[in-house]
Amino acid sequence: VTEVIADSIYKTSVKVGDCTITDENRENVKLHKDDVITYEITVSNDGNKDLTGVVVTDDHEVSVESVEKVNSNGTRVLDKDLTKNEKNRKDGNLLGKTTLGAGEKYIITVKYKVPDNFINENDKEHGDELTNTASITTNETETKSDNDTLKKYKKAEISQTKSSAVVGNDKNDHIINSG
């Protein structure tokens, strides 16, 4: 039997607040400060050998809402032990375990609150988009990453010029009379 060592990671935003993100509305979703983005990070061992030293990370401070195992028929089952495994999260591992068995697949649901400084009108550093990246590292494979990008809300820029003039009238009282 040929030994196959392979893993994969896929990250996508699924909600902003109560708005479900789809392929059709993704371009129209605009982030505001304090919006809560729900992401799903899918990690899998696509090979036939267990992967060890598994660490799944995110480049933003996210909170783990759930960890679900994906069965071979595609059904998702909540793994309560991994969802509640705070020890591994303190070590930076969102998955909650360090071994990914051959053929195993998990979906980690995380939430991220958009901070004020990412939606600042004068923010030149972060640009017009918010990109969030998740990565998987194992002892057997190179680090792999995937990201998701959403656009930020920008206020429309309107400029207005107002001018007035005081015009004398025959009474020279500087009151403008319509006429």
Side-chain angles (χ1 to χ4, degrees), residues 32-111:
H32 296 81
K33 71 176 184 155
D34 297 329
D35 275 348
V36 176
I37 308 168
T38 303
Y39 292 101
E40 287 186 345
I41 304 167
T42 303
V43 294
S44 61
N45 179 347
D46 303 321
N48 59 8
K49 181 180 190 261
D50 290 356
L51 299 175
T52 62
V54 175
V55 178
V56 178
T57 57
D58 193 287
D59 69 343
H60 287 74
E61 288 186 39
V62 297
S63 62
V64 174
E65 296 296 308
S66 66
V67 178
E68 298 170 294
K69 184 171 185 170
V70 180
N71 293 323
S72 58
N73 64 2
T75 58
R76 294 162 64 156
V77 178
L78 178 67
D79 188 318
K80 292 179 184 176
D81 291 334
L82 293 181
T83 298
K84 294 179 181 179
N85 190 343
E86 290 301 315
K87 178 193 176 297
N88 274 336
R89 290 216 195 24
K90 287 179 183 164
D91 294 338
N93 188 2
L94 301 177
L95 180 58
K97 69 179 205 168
T98 57
T99 300
L100 194 55
E104 280 189 322
K105 182 177 190 175
Y106 288 89
I107 296 176
I108 307 162
T109 302
V110 298
K111 290 195 175 185

Side-chain angles (χ1 to χ4, degrees), residues 21-39:
I21 299 175
T22 64
D23 289 340
E24 291 76 32
N25 73 359
R26 175 173 288 281
E27 288 300 313
N28 296 322
V29 173
K30 304 292 186 232
L31 298 176
H32 296 81
K33 71 176 184 155
D34 297 329
D35 275 348
V36 176
I37 308 168
T38 303
Y39 292 101

